[in-house]
Amino acid sequence: MDAERTAVAVRPVEELPGADGFAQWLARTQDSVREHVDAFVRARCAAELDPAGFALPGRLMVEFAAGGKCVRSVFVYLGWLAGGGGESEPALRAAAGAELLHAFALVQDDVMDQSPVRRGQPSAHLRLTNWHRDQGLSGSSTRFGESAAILLADLYLVWAERMLRESGLPAPALDRVWPRYDAMRSELAVGQLADLTNDANRQPTVGTVLDIARRKSGNYTVRRPLELGAAMAGCDEHVLRVLGDYGDVIGEAFQLRDDLLGIFGDPAATGKPAGDDIRERKATTVLALADQLATPPDRARLRELWRADSIDEHGVALAQSVITDSGARRRAEQMIDDRVEHARRLVADLEPSVGDALYRMALLCTQRAH
Amino acid sequence: MDAERTAVAVRPVEELPGADGFAQWLARTQDSVREHVDAFVRARCAAELDPAGFALPGRLMVEFAAGGKCVRSVFVYLGWLAGGGGESEPALRAAAGAELLHAFALVQDDVMDQSPVRRGQPSAHLRLTNWHRDQGLSGSSTRFGESAAILLADLYLVWAERMLRESGLPAPALDRVWPRYDAMRSELAVGQLADLTNDANRQPTVGTVLDIARRKSGNYTVRRPLELGAAMAGCDEHVLRVLGDYGDVIGEAFQLRDDLLGIFGDPAATGKPAGDDIRERKATTVLALADQLATPPDRARLRELWRADSIDEHGVALAQSVITDSGARRRAEQMIDDRVEHARRLVADLEPSVGDALYRMALLCTQRAH
């Protein structure tokens, strides 16, 4: 089998002498991931979705699945390369399944958060709601849109696993992956459950918020994908530990950037309304920092704002200035820099081209505008 | 390995000489299924759920998972026995995973249908909603309950597969199962999607409704579980075909009984309000039959009722009498009898004790009061 042969001949990311090489490699890897996802989802839609009698779900699933930045798939593949797997199409296909798992999480998340926008487009449940209304069907269009989106998310979850199982990786590689894969999926759901009970009114500490963020999205974005790929390749314990530590710090840094963008991000770049996390009163790391660092009067204003029935533009501006004045914004930026620097030291232990790629991925994940 | 050894020594359902023997075997099998489910869910909750910081989800998942009639697990196990697998603990454990898949479907379904009651108890999302309210947490308790229930359903879906994978069945048996397992899960989601667009106002035909019912619940309740078990055992084509045909007719008969109970069932037995499907204006087989068989004035009354904003007790009684007068109720009972008789002839081709058990299961599934 191809995967078994390439697993012996290690040739990791050979085109990575510098930034240009990395950018080329990344673009090519992302393209391959998107092609694999596109082909897989089209095939499954053709085989399974037509009986539903309407074309929108299939179109939506194809468009959405390959519409992301492929961060998780790239990390799975880098884990595989760090583990000595060598460039391999089956491993790339297996890695690409992470996009479907992510699509599951996003579609379901948008229903739970009632988010109208995703990647600058109407979210899946909203498109399905509009379809129901346009067709003049009876019953609540909103309920229909949410229910249909939940079912499409189910399909993504099942297909994600199927794509991994049918990737062409040899059975021993898959056997090493399943326990980690199951644990990752449970962790994702349990992390979101914890997040639901993480009530902004109860003023959680920075530690609590970071802990939930780690389980909810940090682990699932960086650490678990890397470990999955490394386990696929049959990686040694030392490399696995380095990847785990790297994943921890960059997962946190990724989340800190997300939280900064949720408060200060440019809507044109993020595709979300300005101050989205403020409007939704999310208990993010940056808010917890502000609550900790602000002067007593500012802290009181912030807490009062968070108890209001709704937050308008004026409230968003107020929160932004209180958070900035408290030093929370600067502190969060510093925490990100510390973590990237920590990651840089960690990856020095890895094969140089893979270490370099991981360092550049750390920069990409933490210095982004969306 | 235990499974490999028992798979050779075929001893199918040896205690099945008659009704008493079957009842004993069924009770013992259901008990084993519940024990396996209980042990598995408790272990997973202890390993994965505690970090969520509140005990209700775990208690709820344990209680709910083993609270059913184990119909699907028994069919998986009968498929295994029909396929020549012989009595086997790993096969029983694999079969029991079907309860978790079913728990996933029910918890999610109750959110989508906004059903307040399941098995005579408050449904999962309602219990979670009440918990949120009792804790005095901020935000919408309803949203919280629904979101948390969706996440618990996700865990059931992931755990269902994990229970099958870790059942102790040998790898070749599992390899035969996965394509069918994936197809079954997709079919379940796609069937529900089709059901969402199956609008009562558009007066679907009996054929359309039966087709959707087959894909939504019939296949998933009888046919697919049987085929899954048979595939696990490495069953021959002839037996697989017999089981498939049996599954088709008994799946339909199961759904017809469900539809009759949804209109005429006794609330004390079903654990649901009287005429629940009428109140929810579900486009079931029995309704489609009534629409087809009723006199023109009665048909007009029924259609008018279905377009009303809500249906009260008077409307439920009116619908019940129109449906009965149309002959739809009698026709549905006849369709059930025809299918059970068809199944009786089909199973005559199987090993006698398994055939007998399948015939008695057909009676149980179609002559129930809840």
Side-chain angles (χ1 to χ4, degrees):
Chain A
M1 235 167 134
D2 188 37
E4 276 173 329
R5 206 169 52 240
T6 53
V8 178
V10 183
R11 280 178 305 116
V13 219
E14 64 216 315
E15 307 88 339
L16 288 176
D20 281 359
F22 172 74
Q24 281 167 25
W25 174 86
L26 181 63
R28 206 171 54 247
T29 304
Q30 286 168 323
D31 284 348
S32 297
V33 165
R34 290 195 189 105
E35 278 166 29
H36 282 305
V37 168
D38 191 73
F40 184 87
V41 175
R42 277 179 199 280
R44 294 264 52 81
C45 285
E48 295 174 1
L49 212 53
D50 278 346
F54 60 128
L56 176 62
R59 210 165 59 234
L60 203 154
M61 289 191 81
V62 169
E63 276 174 35
F64 193 79
K69 285 167 284 179
C70 309
V71 173
R72 290 150 198 87
S73 298
V74 169
F75 275 126
V76 173
Y77 197 53
L78 280 170
W80 164 267
L81 295 173
E87 297 273 4
S88 145
E89 279 304 309
L92 203 48
R93 205 151 41 228
E99 295 311 301
L100 297 187
L101 186 64
H102 191 47
F104 150 75
L106 293 181
V107 169
Q108 192 171 275
D109 233 30
D110 285 345
V111 172
M112 297 194 296
D113 296 347
Q114 299 188 278
S115 305
V117 173
R118 171 63 66 180
R119 294 173 185 159
Q121 303 281 329
S123 48
H125 64 94
L126 202 61
R127 288 176 64 182
L128 292 157
T129 296
N130 293 338
W131 178 86
H132 186 268
R133 195 173 290 126
D134 293 346
Q135 298 284 311
L137 295 173
S138 72
S140 158
S141 296
T142 301
R143 268 284 144 184
F144 170 86
E146 293 186 354
S147 297
I150 288 172
L151 293 169
L152 296 193
D154 290 344
L155 283 176
Y156 273 136
L157 181 61
V158 170
W159 291 356
E161 180 203 329
R162 183 165 183 166
M163 190 166 177
L164 176 53
R165 187 183 291 123
E166 298 178 355
S167 60
L169 281 178
L174 288 176
D175 287 345
R176 286 191 298 266
V177 163
W178 294 126
R180 289 180 185 277
Y181 193 69
D182 285 339
M184 179 176 73
R185 295 188 297 177
S186 290
E187 193 177 46
L188 179 62
V190 174
Q192 285 186 290
L193 201 56
D195 198 39
L196 287 178
T197 55
N198 175 27
D199 193 308
N201 273 356
R202 302 209 162 170
Q203 310 301 343
T205 65
V206 180
T208 311
V209 179
L210 262 186
D211 182 56
I212 290 174
R214 183 184 306 118
R215 279 185 285 123
K216 189 193 167 191
S217 60
N219 272 353
Y220 147 78
T221 303
V222 190
R223 180 174 179 155
R224 300 304 180 217
L226 277 172
E227 290 177 337
L228 222 63
M232 261 160 45
C235 182
D236 72 48
E237 280 303 313
H238 172 68
V239 171
L240 206 53
R241 206 159 42 239
V242 170
L243 293 175
D245 291 346
Y246 167 96
D248 268 350
V249 296
I250 296 307
E252 277 188 11
F254 187 96
Q255 187 60 46
L256 284 159
R257 176 58 62 206
D258 245 23
D259 292 348
L260 282 166
L261 290 171
I263 293 172
F264 302 106
D266 174 6
T270 60
K272 287 182 192 168
D276 203 31
D277 285 357
I278 298 172
R279 287 173 207 272
E280 309 215 337
R281 279 166 287 189
K282 283 200 187 151
T284 67
T285 49
V286 181
L287 177 70
L289 280 170
D291 188 71
Q292 179 188 310
L293 298 172
T295 60
D298 268 0
R299 181 183 303 131
R301 290 162 81 197
L302 204 54
R303 291 189 179 191
E304 192 187 342
L305 189 65
W306 241 252
R307 276 192 298 271
D309 280 341
S310 74
I311 299 179
D312 61 7
E313 276 180 46
H314 180 73
V316 168
L318 174 70
Q320 286 173 330
S321 71
V322 168
I323 292 167
T324 304
D325 292 348
S326 74
R329 186 176 186 174
R330 204 169 47 249
R331 177 73 65 93
E333 291 286 357
Q334 186 58 51
M335 287 170 75
I336 292 173
D337 289 346
D338 291 349
R339 281 157 179 75
V340 171
E341 174 54 21
H342 186 176
R344 197 186 59 75
R345 291 196 305 273
L346 284 166
V347 299
D349 252 20
L350 301 176
E351 193 279 326
S353 67
V354 177
D356 182 69
L358 283 170
Y359 176 60
R360 291 181 198 278
M361 277 301 288
L363 295 175
L364 269 182
C365 285
T366 57
Q367 296 178 2
R368 61 201 158 88
H370 61 93
Chain B
M1 225 164 140
D2 190 36
E4 276 172 328
R5 206 171 53 240
T6 52
V8 178
V10 183
R11 292 185 286 126
V13 218
E14 63 215 317
E15 306 88 340
L16 289 175
D20 281 358
F22 172 74
Q24 281 167 25
W25 175 86
L26 181 64
R28 207 172 53 249
T29 304
Q30 286 169 324
D31 283 349
S32 297
V33 164
R34 289 194 189 105
E35 279 166 28
H36 281 305
V37 168
D38 191 73
F40 184 87
V41 174
R42 276 179 200 280
R44 294 263 53 81
C45 285
E48 295 175 0
L49 212 53
D50 277 347
F54 60 127
L56 176 63
R59 211 165 59 234
L60 203 154
M61 288 191 81
V62 169
E63 276 174 34
F64 193 79
K69 286 167 285 179
C70 309
V71 173
R72 288 151 199 86
S73 297
V74 169
F75 275 126
V76 173
Y77 197 52
L78 280 171
W80 164 268
L81 295 173
E87 296 273 4
S88 146
E89 278 304 308
L92 203 48
R93 205 152 41 229
E99 295 311 301
L100 298 186
L101 186 64
H102 192 47
F104 149 75
L106 293 182
V107 169
Q108 192 171 275
D109 233 30
D110 285 345
V111 172
M112 296 195 294
D113 295 347
Q114 299 187 280
S115 306
V117 173
R118 170 65 66 181
R119 294 173 185 159
Q121 304 280 328
S123 48
H125 64 95
L126 201 60
R127 287 177 64 182
L128 292 156
T129 296
N130 292 339
W131 178 86
H132 187 268
R133 195 173 290 127
D134 293 346
Q135 298 285 310
L137 296 173
S138 72
S140 158
S141 296
T142 302
R143 268 283 143 185
F144 170 85
E146 294 186 353
S147 298
I150 288 172
L151 293 169
L152 296 193
D154 290 345
L155 283 175
Y156 274 136
L157 181 62
V158 169
W159 291 356
E161 179 202 329
R162 183 165 182 165
M163 190 166 177
L164 176 54
R165 186 184 291 124
E166 298 177 355
S167 60
L169 281 179
L174 288 176
D175 287 345
R176 285 191 299 266
V177 162
W178 294 125
R180 289 180 185 276
Y181 194 69
D182 286 339
M184 180 175 74
R185 296 187 297 177
S186 290
E187 193 176 47
L188 179 61
V190 174
Q192 286 186 288
L193 201 56
D195 198 38
L196 288 178
T197 56
N198 174 27
D199 192 309
N201 273 355
R202 303 211 161 167
Q203 310 300 343
T205 65
V206 180
T208 310
V209 179
L210 262 186
D211 183 57
I212 290 173
R214 184 183 306 121
R215 279 185 285 122
K216 189 194 168 190
S217 59
N219 272 354
Y220 147 76
T221 303
V222 191
R223 179 173 180 156
R224 300 304 179 215
L226 278 172
E227 290 176 338
L228 222 63
M232 261 160 44
C235 181
D236 72 47
E237 279 304 312
H238 172 67
V239 172
L240 206 54
R241 208 160 42 240
V242 170
L243 293 175
D245 290 346
Y246 167 96
D248 268 349
V249 295
I250 297 306
E252 277 188 11
F254 186 96
Q255 188 61 47
L256 283 160
R257 175 59 62 206
D258 245 23
D259 292 349
L260 281 167
L261 290 171
I263 293 173
F264 301 106
D266 174 6
T270 61
K272 286 182 193 167
D276 203 30
D277 285 357
I278 298 172
R279 287 171 207 274
E280 307 215 339
R281 279 166 288 188
K282 282 200 188 151
T284 67
T285 48
V286 181
L287 177 70
L289 279 169
D291 188 70
Q292 181 189 305
L293 298 172
T295 60
D298 269 359
R299 181 182 303 131
R301 290 161 81 197
L302 204 55
R303 291 189 179 190
E304 192 186 343
L305 189 66
W306 241 252
R307 275 192 298 270
D309 280 341
S310 75
I311 299 179
D312 61 9
E313 277 180 45
H314 179 73
V316 168
L318 174 70
Q320 286 173 329
S321 70
V322 168
I323 292 167
T324 304
D325 293 347
S326 73
R329 186 176 186 175
R330 204 169 47 246
R331 177 73 67 92
E333 291 287 357
Q334 186 58 52
M335 287 170 75
I336 291 174
D337 289 346
D338 291 348
R339 279 158 180 75
V340 171
E341 174 55 22
H342 186 176
R344 197 186 60 75
R345 290 196 306 272
L346 283 167
V347 299
D349 251 19
L350 300 177
E351 193 279 325
S353 67
V354 177
D356 183 68
L358 283 170
Y359 176 60
R360 291 181 198 280
M361 278 300 287
L363 294 176
L364 270 182
C365 285
T366 57
Q367 296 176 2
R368 61 202 158 86
H370 61 93

